[in-house]
Amino acid sequence: MTGLELLAVALGMRHGVDPDHLAAVDGLSRVRPSPLNGVLFALGHGGVVTLLAFPAASLLGRVDLDAFLLLLVAALNLYRLLKPTPPTPPKGLPLLNPLLLGVLFGLGFETASQLSALALSAELSPLRLGAFFTLGMLLVDGVDGLLASRLQNLAKDSRRAEEASRLLGWAVVAVALVLALAELGGVDLEAFALPLGLGLFGLLVSLRLYALRPA
């Protein structure tokens, strides 16, 4: 890979660790556990970035969906936390599709990492830019989705894993609400995005290791 392609991968990884991504993937895994949640989310998001890299993509406009989606993530997970045995969500509910959720997040968010990647389209072809940016997101969000889904599966048979799962659920609710309220209030949290995202990812890994320890 060239230096610009490596930069696109790095920007994708940076974007993948944004707290809104991790809150969405972890939250979706609590409602619909699947090891592919993070992969599909990253593919949907990367597809949007690829389209936006083409000159004609500017005609599509941008949709301000970020606060709504984060509030939905918080509400779904809060419902799961407060209901001891929640019903299985309808399989056809579109917003529980990780690929579609990734697409919607790609349309709604304008973070520095995504905008920086789009700026590279002047030097890289849109398809190459999209592929390498998506690869970076896959490395982060794919691992995150795999860990989150395995934690949910463990929670079915292990009290320790169930406790870890609930703690992760409350963390997802808190992060999603903070981000949504900041967006609605016009507060820029970009400076805190990386440490917050790394903290949420670190919490997920720590809870996974905690769940695997013998009681």
Side-chain angles (χ1 to χ4, degrees):
M1 288 188 291
T2 67
L4 286 177
E5 291 167 346
L6 285 172
L7 178 58
V9 173
L11 287 171
M13 295 179 67
R14 169 63 183 85
H15 195 58
V17 83
D18 277 349
D20 47 56
H21 275 224
L22 299 181
V25 174
D26 295 349
L28 185 60
S29 295
R30 284 189 54 82
V31 180
R32 174 186 166 172
S34 169
L36 295 178
N37 278 340
V39 171
L40 293 174
F41 180 90
L43 288 175
H45 199 307
V48 171
V49 172
T50 303
L51 287 177
L52 292 175
F54 285 90
S58 60
L59 300 176
L60 296 176
R62 301 300 292 268
V63 183
D64 188 16
L65 294 172
D66 40 10
F68 166 74
L69 291 173
L70 286 168
L71 287 173
L72 179 64
V73 167
L76 285 173
N77 284 274
L78 187 61
Y79 178 73
R80 286 297 304 267
L81 287 166
L82 298 178
K83 286 285 185 179
T85 53
T88 302
K91 292 183 179 180
L93 191 59
L95 287 178
L96 293 184
N97 183 305
L99 186 66
L100 177 58
L101 192 61
V103 169
L104 293 175
F105 264 71
L107 290 172
F109 285 91
E110 293 186 5
T111 63
S113 50
Q114 182 170 323
L115 293 176
S116 298
L118 292 176
L120 293 180
S121 61
E123 301 292 337
L124 289 175
S125 72
L127 289 177
R128 292 179 71 82
L129 169 64
F132 287 109
F133 187 79
T134 302
L135 174 61
M137 282 194 293
L138 281 171
L139 294 175
V140 176
D141 292 335
V143 171
D144 181 54
L146 178 64
L147 291 176
S149 67
R150 288 189 173 180
L151 181 60
Q152 297 310 309
N153 291 330
L154 278 176
K156 298 175 183 178
D157 305 310
S158 166
R159 180 175 180 82
R160 183 185 291 269
E162 183 179 358
E163 293 173 351
S165 174
R166 289 186 62 81
L167 179 57
L168 178 62
W170 284 112
V172 167
V173 170
V175 171
L177 283 177
V178 167
L179 293 173
L181 292 175
E183 178 66 24
L184 292 173
V187 179
D188 185 8
L189 295 180
E190 182 66 28
F192 303 97
L194 181 59
L196 187 58
L198 290 175
L200 188 57
F201 188 76
L203 176 63
L204 174 64
V205 174
S206 300
L207 290 174
R208 169 68 172 153
L209 294 176
Y210 169 79
L212 287 174
R213 290 176 55 192

